[in-house]
Amino acid sequence: MGKRNNPPLPAGRQAPLSGQHVPYWKMDENKTRNTILDALCLLIAGEIIAILASNNFSWAVTIATAVEAGFFIILAFLARKNPYPSILSALVLFIIISIISAALKPTYLGGSIIIKIFILIYLVRAISDARELQAFKKGRFKK
């Protein structure tokens, strides 16, 4: 049998297994969820760096970060149905908890400021993809 001439997939797309059809929106749905989970991992790494860089430990900031991590896990699961509200909620939650953490322990912020800026940029850049996916799921997307 000869080779099938399939058009190349766009960057970041995976070819489905033979006999399977993976819809376009399914891959993007996972992208939104993975963005929130990546931000969660970076958040935990930033907390570890802040603990190691600081002279004294703060339970208040660690508990606030643990609560934020729990909300990020919930938002990651909700991103399957509603990606746009989930990514916006994650962004707002991240900003609010960062402000609270900075108010509780200003010296803690110095250890992880670069990671916090990276998370902020990462979440903001994901908003447009999540908005497109939300419109696609509601049937209002025209490509």
Side-chain angles (χ1 to χ4, degrees):
M1 301 208 130
K3 289 183 179 180
R4 289 175 39 188
N5 291 329
N6 292 333
L9 293 172
R13 303 282 184 236
Q14 296 176 352
L17 299 174
S18 67
Q20 290 182 338
H21 173 69
V22 178
Y24 169 76
W25 61 268
K26 189 75 169 169
M27 289 179 248
D28 284 339
E29 180 179 273
N30 293 335
K31 182 179 177 183
T32 304
R33 185 193 68 213
N34 290 342
T35 299
I36 295 174
L37 291 175
D38 290 346
L40 171 64
C41 291
L42 288 172
L43 181 72
I44 292 170
E47 178 67 16
I48 291 170
I49 290 171
I51 289 171
L52 294 175
S54 162
N55 291 343
N56 44 10
F57 181 73
S58 172
W59 276 108
V61 174
T62 303
I63 290 171
T65 304
V67 168
E68 184 178 15
F71 279 122
F72 268 50
I73 291 170
I74 292 168
L75 290 171
F77 286 114
L78 293 176
R80 296 188 68 91
K81 297 282 184 191
N82 298 311
Y84 186 60
S86 295
I87 203 83
L88 283 179
S89 298
L91 178 63
V92 169
L93 180 69
F94 174 74
I95 291 170
I96 290 171
I97 298 289
S98 294
I99 291 170
I100 290 171
S101 297
L104 290 174
K105 193 79 168 172
T107 58
Y108 236 52
L109 189 60
S112 65
I113 190 71
I114 293 172
I115 291 180
K116 287 192 182 289
I117 291 170
F118 185 70
I119 293 170
L120 183 66
I121 292 169
Y122 195 58
L123 290 173
V124 168
R125 289 185 66 185
I127 289 174
S128 62
D129 290 339
R131 183 177 28 218
E132 265 184 38
L133 178 58
Q134 188 80 25
F136 183 78
K137 285 178 132 186
K138 300 237 187 238
R140 295 178 291 188
F141 184 73
K142 294 173 179 70
K143 202 164 192 182

